[in-house]
């Protein structure tokens, strides 16, 4: 969040003075569902979501629109560096290998970044944008599934998706 706070300190005074403007933050469905080996990213996106929510309430009376965009996976080379890098912790090999093996199938059906860019452009042009936009099939489904399904079932499905066995499989 540190880069955002510096940016906001620079931009928000002018927006407050004009009593209008859009702040569009790009979060992730990872704020709702952390996949294995992605914990810090998921935590940062969850923090960004709560920051957007607070900032929206703090600035709404000034005519500002704070919008959070939560995409699912996007067809970019973002993950390539991660699964080409050697593992530094052998204890996580049992998790790392199946998770990285599952990623190509997720990204094969992922929407292209141009679709996300079009959503962001439409938000920037909207007179009254919604507080949250979700982009991609998983981004629309996963938060609901997280809330509706019992935690144990949701977790079991997530582990299955990434080729991970049940708890203590080696015990």
């Amino acid at each position: 969040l540190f880069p955002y706070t510096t940016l906001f300190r620079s931009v928000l005074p002018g927006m407050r003075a004009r009593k209008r403007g859009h702040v569009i933050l790009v979060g992730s469905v990872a704020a709702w569902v952390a996949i294995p080996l992605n914990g810090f990213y998921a935590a940062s996106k969850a923090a960004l979501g709560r920051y957007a929510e607070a900032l929206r309430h703090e600035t709404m009376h000034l005519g500002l629109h704070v919008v959070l965009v939560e995409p699912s996976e996007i067809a970019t080379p973002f993950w390539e560096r991660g699964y080409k890098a050697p593992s530094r912790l052998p204890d996580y090999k049992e998790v790392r290998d199946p998770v990285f093996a599952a990623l190509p199938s997720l990204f094969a059906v992922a929407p292209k970044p141009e679709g996300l860019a079009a959503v962001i452009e439409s938000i920037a042009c909207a007179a009254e944008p919604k507080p949250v936009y979700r982009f991609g099939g998983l981004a629309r489904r996963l938060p609901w599934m997280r809330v509706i399904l019992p935690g144990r079932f949701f977790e079991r499905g997530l582990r299955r998706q990434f080729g991970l066995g049940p708890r203590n499989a080696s015990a």
Side-chain angles (χ1 to χ4, degrees):
L1 288 178
F2 295 118
Y4 287 114
T5 56
T6 302
L7 176 66
F8 291 148
R9 282 190 193 128
S10 302
V11 174
L12 281 178
M15 294 174 88
R16 286 193 304 259
R18 286 188 301 280
K19 302 276 192 228
R20 64 184 177 87
H22 288 50
V23 176
I24 303 170
L25 300 170
V26 180
S28 171
V29 71
W32 289 87
V33 179
I35 68 168
L37 307 173
N38 203 22
F40 287 118
Y41 178 79
S44 70
K45 294 304 184 175
L48 182 64
R50 298 305 60 83
Y51 181 70
E53 186 176 2
L55 187 62
R56 183 171 33 261
H57 293 299
E58 293 165 8
T59 60
M60 192 180 293
H61 71 285
L62 298 171
L64 303 184
H65 299 280
V66 178
V67 179
L68 177 64
V69 180
E70 291 183 319
S72 57
E73 71 293 335
I74 302 294
T76 69
F78 178 78
W79 276 93
E80 286 179 19
R81 280 175 273 149
Y83 60 88
K84 287 181 182 173
S87 177
R88 292 180 285 182
L89 298 171
D91 287 345
Y92 290 94
K93 183 174 177 36
E94 283 183 50
V95 173
R96 186 178 195 275
D97 289 351
V99 167
F100 285 163
L103 291 177
S105 65
L106 284 175
F107 290 110
V109 296
K112 298 200 179 315
E114 293 82 3
L116 179 58
V119 169
I120 293 171
E121 180 182 19
S122 72
I123 295 167
C125 296
E128 293 290 329
K130 299 183 298 187
V132 178
Y133 289 76
R134 295 198 173 109
F135 178 74
L138 288 176
R140 289 187 285 276
R141 288 190 310 267
L142 283 176
W144 284 106
M145 291 171 66
R146 183 73 193 233
V147 171
I148 292 170
L149 291 175
R152 199 175 284 180
F153 291 113
F154 185 83
E155 187 172 287
R156 196 175 299 151
L158 181 73
R159 292 183 63 78
R160 190 176 304 122
Q161 172 71 40
F162 288 100
L164 301 173
R167 290 182 199 265
N168 302 326
S170 62

